[in-house]
Amino acid sequence: MAMILDGNALSAEIRTEVAADVAQLTAATGIVPGLNLLLVGEDPASTVYVRNKSKDCEKVGIRSIVLRLPAAATEAEVLHQVRVWNADPSVHGILVQLPVPKHINEHLVIRTIDPNKDVDGFHPENAGRLMIGLDGFIPCTPYGVLEILKRYSIETSGRHVVVVGRSNIVGKPLAMLLAQKRPQGNATVTICHTGTIDLAEHTRRADIVISAVGVHGVITAEHIKVGAVVIDVGINRITLPDGTTKLTGDVLFDEVSMKASAITPVPGGVGPMTRAMLLRNTLTSAERVAGVKQ
Ligand code: GUN
């Protein structure tokens, strides 16, 4: 039976560390880290996510405000708001919750955020910095996965990692980070995606499988080598035969956990880590402004 990689416990640890570091920064410099969140429209899931991110901030001493614009808001209005926050020195992090309504160009919104306040790590400058190994902001989900590997002392150097999924938010940055000569890196990395002919042929050779697809059941026991580590980034809502719904990952947890040496559950694995790393990135941004961090 696999060891459970407990994202709830680890994220609590990280929140405690961030709270202590926030208190220290504020005591030393008077700076209170601030995260401003913009939600355009009324998507129920996005509304919950933004509310949770804001609550997380308050608990660790990060000031946070949520601005809600109607779904009909124009692209110009959204860009204007981002620019106002870019110019406000009390704002250290800017997060525009995605997806934005279709009439708004998501890439343009992301590019308008000051890269020094882009705590999501989505701006092309931060994506480029990550690619070439410079400091910037690491997107929160890849960052959370690296923290799981680090805090459970899971060796990546020289090992074969298969990343399933090639999104800009998770798969691509994670694959880049794992391949770099850095802690939680130096791995041999394979990226699989919807164009992969025989997924199991690749994943069965992996020491670590990371699935970020968003489809329940893409990773079964057949896909996993005995003793492999399995990180499940997927968050999928499925309907059970009795009509109720539940959250699941990409991985068939019950059968895979019989074969793997360690596995993240869903919920309670990568999800809470993503939220915790947003707090860490916001604090890092404030620390850079204060000149106490590179
Ligand atoms: N929508 C879903 N996940 C995210 C995220 O990590 N950041 C933003 N801005 N929007 C999202």
Side-chain angles (χ1 to χ4, degrees), residues 53 95-99 120 122:
K53 289 172 188 180
L95 187 148
V96 179
Q97 185 66 24
L98 303 177
D120 261 329
F122 294 169

Side-chain angles (χ1 to χ4, degrees), residues 28-71:
T29 67
I31 292 173
V32 179
L35 174 65
N36 283 22
L37 302 125
L38 182 59
L39 174 62
V40 188
E42 284 93 40
D43 178 74
S46 291
T47 305
V48 173
Y49 290 146
V50 166
R51 192 187 310 133
N52 286 340
K53 289 172 188 180
S54 178
K55 278 193 206 153
D56 288 347
C57 285
E58 282 162 28
K59 288 187 196 143
V60 298
I62 294 175
R63 179 198 57 73
S64 116
I65 69 155
V66 176
L67 182 70
R68 298 183 65 159
L69 291 178

Side-chain angles (χ1 to χ4, degrees), residues 71-128:
T74 64
E75 185 177 274
E77 285 169 325
V78 171
L79 297 181
H80 172 74
Q81 190 55 56
V82 169
R83 291 192 183 106
V84 168
W85 288 348
N86 283 345
D88 182 344
S90 74
V91 179
H92 302 98
I94 298 174
L95 187 148
V96 179
Q97 185 66 24
L98 303 177
V100 287
K102 284 196 183 61
H103 64 277
I104 297 171
N105 180 339
E106 177 180 303
H107 294 290
L108 183 55
V109 173
I110 291 171
R111 260 195 289 136
T112 302
I113 298 172
D114 179 345
N116 296 311
K117 299 187 179 189
D118 168 41
V119 288
D120 261 329
F122 294 169
H123 190 286
E125 175 161 339
N126 283 313

Side-chain angles (χ1 to χ4, degrees), residues 183-205:
Q184 288 74 56
N186 210 33
T188 302
V189 179
T190 301
I191 305 177
C192 295
H193 43 71
T194 46
T196 300
I197 303 290
D198 184 349
L199 178 62
E201 183 199 339
H202 297 281
T203 55
R204 268 201 300 264
R205 288 190 286 115

